[in-house]
Amino acid sequence: NLQRVSQEKLRVLLDTEGRDLKAGEGAVVVLDPVGGVKALVGGRSYRASPFDRAIKSLRQPGSAFKPFVYLAALESGYTPDSLAYDGPVNIGGWKPSNYTKRYRGVVTLRESMAQSLNTVAARLTNEVGAWKVVRTAQRLGIRSKLHTQPSIALGTAEVTLLELAGAYAPFANGGQRVLPHVITRVRNGDGKVLYRRRH
C-alpha cells in the first residue's frame, strides 16, 4: 500500500508543482528506522523510463546535507543552544547567502537548523573542518565520493537518494548506522526459513 501511495503521490507532485518547476522526473525512498525499504519509486513510469533515480541517480542534496554539518558540530563540542552569527560571510572568497537573502543576526544552532540558514552552516563547516563533516556523513552511510571544499556545507557533492535516506536513519533510531535493504527473510516452498536478516 505504501509503495502504491508513493507512486501515486510522486505522479501528482510531478504533474502539479513539478510542471511549474519544469521537473519531469523524481524519486521516493521510504525506510523504516533499521533501514528496511518500505517504498522505493525510481521515477514517474518504469515503462517510459526504466532508469532508477532512487538508486542510481547522483544529485546534489543541497540543504538536506546540513544535518551532517550540525552533527559534526555537536560532536565537536557545540550544543543546540550554542550561539552563532547569521550574517554575510566570506570563506576564502566563497560568499554564501541565505535563500531569503535576509539575515537574523545572533541565533542558536537549534534556530539555525530549523531555519536552514546557509551562512551558519558554512561558518560551522569552516570552524569544525569540512573533512569532519565529510567523515560524519560517511560514518552515517554516505558512500558516494564527497569533496572537502567549504561548499560541502550546502550539499554540493552528489549522492543518491537511497544513501541519503539511509544516512538519515540514525537520527531516528538512536544513532545506529543502517544498510538499506529490501529482503528481510527468505523461505522455501515448505515455509522453512532459509535466511533471516539480523539487525
Side-chain angles (χ1 to χ4, degrees):
N1 183 55
L2 189 55
Q3 176 70 22
R4 186 172 60 255
V5 169
S6 297
Q7 290 171 315
E8 292 169 359
K9 294 292 185 185
L10 177 61
R11 274 195 292 272
V12 169
L13 190 61
L14 289 171
D15 289 341
T16 54
E17 293 178 42
R19 185 177 55 242
D20 297 338
L21 297 170
K22 296 182 175 46
E25 279 294 352
V28 177
V29 173
V30 180
L31 302 179
D32 65 21
V34 295
V37 174
K38 297 301 181 184
L40 191 147
V41 185
R44 178 191 294 271
S45 165
Y46 181 81
R47 187 173 301 139
S49 176
F51 181 72
D52 191 330
R53 290 158 186 84
I55 295 175
K56 298 179 180 176
S57 184
L58 289 167
R59 294 286 182 264
Q60 292 183 350
S63 289
F65 195 81
K66 287 177 185 170
F68 308 121
V69 172
Y70 286 90
L71 178 57
L74 292 176
E75 292 178 339
S76 296
Y78 290 81
T79 73
D81 293 321
S82 294
L83 299 179
Y85 181 66
D86 174 32
V89 61
N90 184 336
I91 300 170
W94 177 54
K95 302 174 183 177
S97 62
N98 292 328
Y99 179 75
T100 61
K101 306 295 184 198
R102 296 194 328 242
Y103 302 105
R104 291 172 174 78
V106 177
V107 294
T108 65
L109 293 195
R110 180 183 286 110
E111 293 168 325
S112 171
M113 176 142 172
Q115 297 298 319
S116 192
L117 302 178
N118 290 342
T119 63
V120 174
R123 278 193 170 90
L124 284 175
T125 298
N126 189 51
E127 289 168 15
V128 304
W131 64 272
K132 186 173 276 190
V133 171
V134 166
R135 190 177 68 188
T136 300
Q138 291 170 333
R139 200 176 77 237
L140 269 63
I142 298 293
R143 294 182 301 173
S144 293
K145 185 174 181 179
L146 301 174
H147 64 75
T148 55
Q149 299 302 312
S151 65
I152 191 71
L154 307 185
T156 58
E158 296 181 331
V159 300
T160 68
L161 182 57
L162 181 62
E163 68 183 323
L164 184 63
Y168 265 54
F171 293 112
N173 70 17
Q176 298 300 309
R177 180 176 172 167
V178 305
L179 178 64
H181 58 278
V182 175
I183 298 171
T184 57
R185 184 177 61 208
V186 176
R187 292 181 295 187
N188 66 13
D190 297 325
K192 180 182 178 184
V193 175
L194 304 176
Y195 166 80
R196 187 186 305 275
R197 181 175 178 82
R198 300 195 197 296
H199 297 294

